[in-house]
Amino acid sequence: MNKAVCGLTLCFVAGSGLARESVLEEVLVTAQKREQNVQDIPVTINVVSAETIDNFSIRNTADLADSVPGLVIQPTPQNLAQVTMRGLGTGSASESLDQSVGLFIDGVWSGRVRDFQSALFDIERVEVIKGTQNTLLGKNTSLGALSIVTRRPGEEWSGYIQGDYETRFDSAYLSGALNMPTAFGAYRLAFNAVDEGGYVDNRATGNEVPEREQNTLRLSARYDVLETGLLDLSFEYDDLRIRGDTFQPDADTLGFMQAMDPTADIGLDGNKNAFTSYSSAGDADDEQTSRRALAQYEQLLGGHTLTLLTGWSMFDNDRLTDTDFLSVDYLTSIFSSDYEQFTQELRIASPVGDKLDYIVGVYYHDSDLDYANITDSSFPPPFTIGPLPVDSSSLLTYQQDTRILSTFGKADVYLGANWQLALGLRYTEEDKDALWGRERLRSGGPAADILANLFSPEVAPTDLHRSEHNLDGSVSLQFDWSDGLTQYASWASGSKSGGFTNNVARPEDAEFETEKAETLELGVKWRLGQGKGLLNAALYHTDIDDFQVVSFVGTGFLTSTVPARSRGVELETRWLVSPGLELGASATYADAREKDTDLRLPYAPEWSASADVSWLLPVQAWGLAWRLEGALNYRDEQFQQRLETSPDNALTLLDLRLGLGRPDGRWEVALIGRNLLDESSSFGFDFPFFGGQVLPAGSTTIGSVSRPRTLAVQGRYRF
């Protein structure tokens, strides 16, 4: 009888009379609501392992995106995630917008833009699922999905603790978990603590920014119910605070910002000079408390599997942005958003058979968003728009209730020994009710009111309603040339619901249409070298009507709908060169453009690629082992605003880790270097209220720098 012994990156297969042989470890995913080998399904999926996340201290989704070609997650001044996949995604400016790249945590949709602040810890894996995925995943996955799978309680007493100390910016990270099986269920308690120092010196406040503190606790439980039932429960509490930001004047070719503030530090570097009297510390501030609960019950019914998945989550967020980015007190924005959602999914999956497999289900979603934004502007003469002063304060309020009911199904038909046909369909009804209003808190006088009434007029609370019905589908044809070689062709249509944006002057301009996407993909997945290697490739074309693109236009954010498309190629290879040496590489080419103008879309680098190495070198004399790991990640230049403005240069990130510990992984100490080439990306836009309006576009811009080179000491102990 053969026995498989699997380690972190490879498996040894041994049997009576067989030589010991090493192969790549099988990677299992649940992207299609079943546990499947990623090499056996006709979908492009990049899997980031728990080992990679732990070893390189990947603590949030922005860090995660740096290691996945084709995925961009760019923070903004309000700490809203700008997410694109294959060059396509939803702008971050309006929190009322749904995301077209869905975020799922343990199978539950969590796709509000603030949910991308969730901590990554005690993770089983992260699945980056590319292309249109509405049929099974649903809820706004027209351009892809990011699925985070946390670790579940196990059957043995075990645990771990890991600490990282980063020397240059005095940052500390601590995480751990304890697995506790009992006679009545198994339990797991996991925690994460981040105390991250800033890397930009704000000379006006004396603070190093941004400082990030995040503390998260997760308790999960698993119970056997009768003989064939399994109940999983979890609850997570997260407390986040970010003090300060790195945004600063980048260009000031006309001397406008220096005229407003003679102490302005022009140019992107490690220094800034900004102050706001609205904050006790003088810096921008962001505080968020989140809670998340899940209940999943699986029951075998005559070979079928019944799954009930219940999710509840909420967050309270308050943040302040020093929107003039100077030491003067001319422009400040204050935001508050409270969100709560409840979801319920019921599905039935057939047993895996010889002729037909299927999954059918229903999904219900109910969520409430309460949003408020105070904008206070007080620009003294001569900083006016024409003869009119910019001097007023207003409060915008927005409340939205969303209700969704959808039914879905997918069938896999086996056409002979080698052919497989998959058909999927999803029908969704969605209703959104919103209340949109604005009131004046302060007037700068009759002349100032002229501009205030133009850009931010008073609006009595106005009811808005939208109802839509969407039908999405998918078809794929798969041919298995052998056990290790699969070729497929797939087509999928998906929708991202329309709705209302709160970043317009009047509610009658707030509504936008449903975003419809169609993706065609041709791919091959190939196991090579008797399981020692793999090679995957895919050609894709995504076409979108009413693509929702967000641009900063000087007076605020503008949501436009334009026809767009993205086409390109995905490549991935991995090789187990020897039992201790593994090499991997992947790349994405994405040509994402507006169809009418042929201009490149924002956050759409044409090329992005990554390469990684893991080398385990035993030291038999010590009974220990060295582990060397490296990751090289590259993305091409990209534009940060629509119409090919605010370019950001190409970025190459090199991370290395050298560890020493027991070969079985019980303990290890390591030295980690991140961004060793000390390269920096930026986020840029024209200065608020003036950029592209009175001043020529591009003459006065704001930007930020990413985290520079860091070195850290890491220690881990498993028990």
Side-chain angles (χ1 to χ4, degrees), residues 4 37 57 67 118 132-133 161 193 207 262 302 342 422 511 519 614 624:
N37 189 323
S57 297
S67 61
S118 298
T132 302
Q133 304 295 330
I161 187 167
N207 298 324
F342 171 83
E511 188 170 2
T519 298
S614 177
L624 302 175

Side-chain angles (χ1 to χ4, degrees), residues 505-531:
R506 299 181 182 276
E508 54 264 31
D509 301 322
E511 188 170 2
F512 53 90
E513 295 302 315
T514 302
E515 181 181 282
K516 283 283 190 179
E518 293 186 10
T519 298
L520 177 65
E521 185 164 311
L522 304 174
V524 60
K525 295 188 175 184
W526 196 0
R527 298 184 187 95
L528 300 166
Q530 298 180 331

Side-chain angles (χ1 to χ4, degrees), residues 173-239:
Y173 310 87
L174 185 66
S175 62
L178 177 62
N179 200 74
M180 302 167 287
T182 70
F184 182 68
Y187 303 87
R188 187 177 186 88
L189 181 65
F191 71 92
N192 180 64
V194 174
D195 186 2
E196 191 171 75
Y199 55 92
V200 172
D201 180 16
N202 188 352
R203 294 170 177 171
T205 63
N207 298 324
E208 299 287 336
V209 293
E211 296 177 348
R212 183 185 185 98
E213 295 180 7
Q214 188 165 20
N215 296 289
T216 317
L217 188 68
R218 183 192 303 131
L219 176 63
S220 53
R222 170 166 283 187
Y223 304 97
D224 292 321
V225 180
L226 301 176
E227 294 184 356
T228 59
L230 186 65
L231 175 64
D232 281 305
L233 303 174
S234 70
F235 178 81
E236 179 177 301
Y237 173 84
D238 180 84
D239 184 71

Side-chain angles (χ1 to χ4, degrees), residues 93-359:
S94 177
E95 291 185 59
S96 61
L97 293 176
D98 294 315
Q99 294 293 304
S100 51
V101 176
L103 173 67
F104 293 81
I105 300 178
D106 289 328
V108 177
W109 184 80
S110 307
R112 304 312 311 178
V113 67
R114 287 294 305 189
D115 283 321
F116 283 86
Q117 296 289 338
S118 298
L120 292 179
F121 72 105
D122 202 39
I123 298 295
E124 184 70 30
R125 66 186 178 276
V126 177
E127 302 172 13
V128 182
I129 311 165
K130 297 180 177 179
T132 302
Q133 304 295 330
N134 284 58
T135 298
L136 284 179
L137 296 183
K139 189 53 188 167
N140 298 328
T141 56
S142 55
L143 300 177
L146 194 66
S147 177
I148 298 172
V149 181
T150 64
R151 289 192 176 111
R152 297 295 194 184
E155 298 178 354
E156 298 180 355
W157 280 88
S158 61
Y160 72 92
I161 187 167
Q162 175 176 312
D164 300 59
Y165 178 70
E166 184 273 302
T167 57
R168 183 176 177 185
F169 302 111
D170 193 25
S171 300
Y173 310 87
L174 185 66
S175 62
L178 177 62
N179 200 74
M180 302 167 287
T182 70
F184 182 68
Y187 303 87
R188 187 177 186 88
L189 181 65
F191 71 92
N192 180 64
V194 174
D195 186 2
E196 191 171 75
Y199 55 92
V200 172
D201 180 16
N202 188 352
R203 294 170 177 171
T205 63
N207 298 324
E208 299 287 336
V209 293
E211 296 177 348
R212 183 185 185 98
E213 295 180 7
Q214 188 165 20
N215 296 289
T216 317
L217 188 68
R218 183 192 303 131
L219 176 63
S220 53
R222 170 166 283 187
Y223 304 97
D224 292 321
V225 180
L226 301 176
E227 294 184 356
T228 59
L230 186 65
L231 175 64
D232 281 305
L233 303 174
S234 70
F235 178 81
E236 179 177 301
Y237 173 84
D238 180 84
D239 184 71
L240 168 69
R241 180 167 187 181
I242 304 173
R243 176 181 293 171
D245 60 49
T246 64
F247 289 86
Q248 52 191 287
D250 180 16
D252 189 29
T253 57
L254 300 180
F256 180 78
M257 303 198 79
Q258 295 248 243
M260 283 199 299
D261 180 7
T263 68
D265 187 324
I266 308 299
L268 298 184
D269 53 28
N271 300 296
K272 62 179 293 186
N273 198 59
F275 174 81
T276 174
S277 62
Y278 285 78
S279 166
S280 59
D283 275 295
D285 203 9
D286 187 342
E287 298 183 33
Q288 179 167 302
T289 300
S290 306
R291 299 175 181 86
R292 190 182 307 276
L294 173 144
Q296 178 173 305
Y297 179 65
E298 291 188 350
Q299 178 68 53
L300 290 179
L301 299 172
H304 289 69
T305 301
L306 170 68
T307 301
L308 295 170
L309 179 60
T310 305
W312 172 86
S313 64
M314 60 81 65
F315 64 76
D316 295 326
N317 173 242
D318 296 292
R319 61 189 188 275
L320 180 151
T321 302
D322 181 12
T323 326
D324 54 46
F325 306 100
L326 300 170
S327 64
V328 293
D329 228 359
Y330 291 168
L331 185 62
T332 305
S333 298
I334 302 171
F335 306 88
S336 174
S337 56
D338 299 334
Y339 179 76
E340 183 174 8
Q341 81 168 31
F342 171 83
T343 62
Q344 178 66 61
E345 181 172 303
L346 182 153
R347 63 178 185 268
I348 296 177
S350 71
V352 177
D354 297 329
K355 299 295 184 182
L356 175 69
D357 301 337
Y358 61 85
I359 296 176

Side-chain angles (χ1 to χ4, degrees), residues 428-679:
T428 302
E429 296 182 356
E430 181 166 350
D431 291 287
K432 287 181 178 174
D433 291 293
L435 188 64
W436 199 111
R438 184 189 290 112
E439 62 179 291
R440 188 71 41 76
L441 300 181
R442 180 180 58 79
S443 170
D449 288 345
I450 296 175
L451 279 181
N453 290 331
L454 178 63
F455 294 131
S456 55
E458 289 192 277
V459 177
T462 302
D463 289 315
L464 301 172
H465 175 75
R466 180 181 174 86
S467 180
E468 60 182 278
H469 310 271
N470 295 312
L471 183 64
D472 303 315
S474 62
V475 180
S476 69
L477 184 63
Q478 179 176 331
F479 180 73
D480 298 327
W481 293 91
S482 65
D483 289 341
L485 178 58
T486 295
Q487 191 172 0
Y488 67 89
S490 66
W491 171 89
S493 69
S495 56
K496 192 196 83 165
S497 58
F500 311 102
T501 177
N502 47 43
N503 284 316
V504 291
R506 299 181 182 276
E508 54 264 31
D509 301 322
E511 188 170 2
F512 53 90
E513 295 302 315
T514 302
E515 181 181 282
K516 283 283 190 179
E518 293 186 10
T519 298
L520 177 65
E521 185 164 311
L522 304 174
V524 60
K525 295 188 175 184
W526 196 0
R527 298 184 187 95
L528 300 166
Q530 298 180 331
K532 297 179 183 293
L534 63 84
L535 176 63
N536 299 333
L539 297 172
Y540 73 87
H541 181 99
T542 298
D543 194 86
I544 306 176
D545 293 326
D546 295 319
F547 177 60
Q548 297 163 9
V549 59
V550 177
S551 304
F552 193 80
V553 294
T555 55
F557 291 91
L558 174 66
T559 301
S560 305
T561 54
V562 299
R565 56 91 176 151
S566 177
R567 58 191 179 197
V569 61
E570 301 272 4
L571 299 170
E572 179 185 16
T573 186
R574 185 160 295 277
W575 287 91
L576 189 62
V577 180
S578 67
L581 178 61
E582 184 175 328
L583 304 176
S586 57
T588 297
Y589 172 75
D591 182 22
R593 297 178 179 271
E594 295 184 22
K595 291 197 294 185
D596 288 346
T597 63
D598 201 41
L599 294 174
R600 284 172 56 187
L601 291 166
Y603 302 101
E606 285 190 332
W607 279 102
S608 53
S610 68
D612 64 88
V613 58
S614 177
W615 186 27
L616 185 66
L617 182 63
V619 184
Q620 295 182 356
W622 299 350
L624 302 175
W626 290 100
R627 181 186 294 273
L628 174 65
E629 294 166 295
L632 183 67
N633 302 295
Y634 169 83
R635 69 150 174 80
D636 211 349
E637 66 176 7
Q638 62 182 6
F639 293 102
Q640 299 171 93
Q641 293 292 324
R642 189 179 168 223
L643 305 180
E644 298 185 349
T645 62
S646 298
D648 185 13
N649 293 329
L651 178 69
T652 302
L653 299 175
L654 174 62
D655 300 336
L656 292 176
R657 180 181 185 271
L658 178 62
L660 177 66
R662 283 182 45 167
D664 61 3
R666 179 171 290 272
W667 65 264
E668 188 177 46
V669 293
L671 180 65
I672 306 170
R674 301 198 66 185
N675 189 16
L676 290 175
L677 302 180
D678 206 23
E679 292 207 359

Side-chain angles (χ1 to χ4, degrees), residues 12-68:
F12 294 103
V13 180
S16 177
L18 297 178
R20 186 166 175 157
E21 183 180 6
S22 58
V23 297
L24 284 174
E25 184 178 357
E26 184 180 51
V27 177
L28 300 178
V29 296
T30 52
Q32 297 194 124
K33 304 289 188 181
R34 295 180 187 269
E35 191 174 82
Q36 299 169 296
N37 189 323
V38 70
Q39 289 297 110
D40 295 335
I41 57 177
V43 180
T44 298
I45 303 176
N46 295 117
V47 179
V48 184
S49 68
E51 185 181 25
T52 298
I53 292 171
D54 290 340
N55 287 349
F56 287 103
S57 297
I58 297 175
R59 299 299 182 184
N60 54 59
T61 57
D63 288 341
L64 177 76
D66 289 336
S67 61
V68 180

